[in-house]
Amino acid sequence: MEKYTVKYNELTAEEFITLWETVWGAGPSPEQTRLAMENTLFRVSVFDGEKIIAMARMIGDMGLCCYIKDVVVRPEYQGRGIGRMLIEELLKFTGGHGVAGTDVFVELCAMPDKIPFYEKFGFDRNEAQRLKMMYHI
Ligand SMILES: CC(C)(COP(=O)(O)OP(=O)(O)OC[C@H]1O[C@@H](n2cnc3c(N)ncnc32)[C@H](O)[C@@H]1OP(=O)(O)O)[C@@H](O)C(=O)NCCC(=O)NCCS
């Protein structure tokens, strides 16, 4: 991990879209993504030299609830411990900003093949189902 550079709250919309498109196809618009970056609680990005290779972000209210979003490691860098580092950074941030002595609900949504990755950090599924809609602006 030493050879990579980790940045906090510097992830740009352009970097986000670049990385998104390495794993999920066409990314969101720059305008939407810029708004999302501005309103994210905590962003982590990882660079190999000038190249962005990983990102993750935390949204939420810090006091009661946090939500992990957009955990991505560039495919050719997967399996080297970078995903683990991203999750540990998000949890460290949460631990450092909540109310001491209380519990914060940390949530995320994962595809079935990624659930074992998150279980390594103590995440556990419950019976709640994810409901979603695309709301047109
Ligand atoms: C999921 C993802 C972030 C994992 O990142 P990574 O850098 O490959 O993960 P790491 O190398 O840090 O792996 C950490 C541990 O999780 C394990 N792991 C990683 N992916 C796993 C998977 N899909 N299933 C089971 N275990 C997994 C590793 O074996 C490792 O185990 P160990 O610490 O006991 O040796 C990465 O595969 C990715 O970006 N995928 C595409 C985007 C995506 O689907 N993101 C998740 C959205 S929910």
Side-chain angles (χ1 to χ4, degrees):
M1 293 300 304
E2 310 79 49
K3 62 187 177 130
Y4 304 128
T5 305
V6 182
K7 297 184 183 179
Y8 304 103
N9 293 322
E10 292 187 28
L11 179 70
T12 66
E14 292 68 28
E15 290 163 349
F16 179 98
I17 294 166
T18 297
L19 213 43
W20 171 295
E21 292 185 344
T22 68
V23 291
W24 290 320
S29 75
E31 189 181 8
Q32 268 187 300
T33 309
R34 268 194 287 278
L35 184 62
M37 293 303 104
E38 284 167 20
N39 288 286
T40 295
L41 277 182
F42 183 58
R43 289 167 279 159
V44 185
S45 47
V46 184
F47 288 77
D48 183 4
E50 299 292 303
K51 181 167 67 169
I52 180 141
I53 60 167
M55 67 175 178
R57 65 191 185 110
M58 184 76 95
I59 58 177
D61 59 31
M62 287 314 328
L64 298 173
C65 182
C66 288
Y67 202 103
I68 291 176
K69 291 289 292 175
D70 306 316
V71 180
V72 175
V73 178
R74 204 181 265 270
E76 62 270 32
Y77 288 85
Q78 291 175 11
R80 304 184 192 184
I82 299 171
R84 171 178 289 283
M85 186 271 283
L86 291 172
I87 302 300
E88 287 173 351
E89 290 284 359
L90 295 181
L91 294 176
K92 194 165 73 181
F93 170 82
T94 304
H97 290 78
V99 178
T102 65
D103 294 324
V104 177
F105 195 50
V106 182
E107 291 180 86
L108 60 87
C109 182
M111 295 303 283
D113 67 326
K114 300 300 182 299
I115 289 174
F117 167 71
Y118 290 106
E119 284 176 337
K120 286 182 178 286
F121 305 94
F123 288 93
D124 194 10
R125 16 184 160 187
N126 66 10
E127 67 285 356
Q129 295 291 304
R130 182 191 196 202
L131 304 186
K132 65 174 183 127
M133 67 185 289
M134 294 307 280
Y135 184 77
H136 190 65
I137 312 293

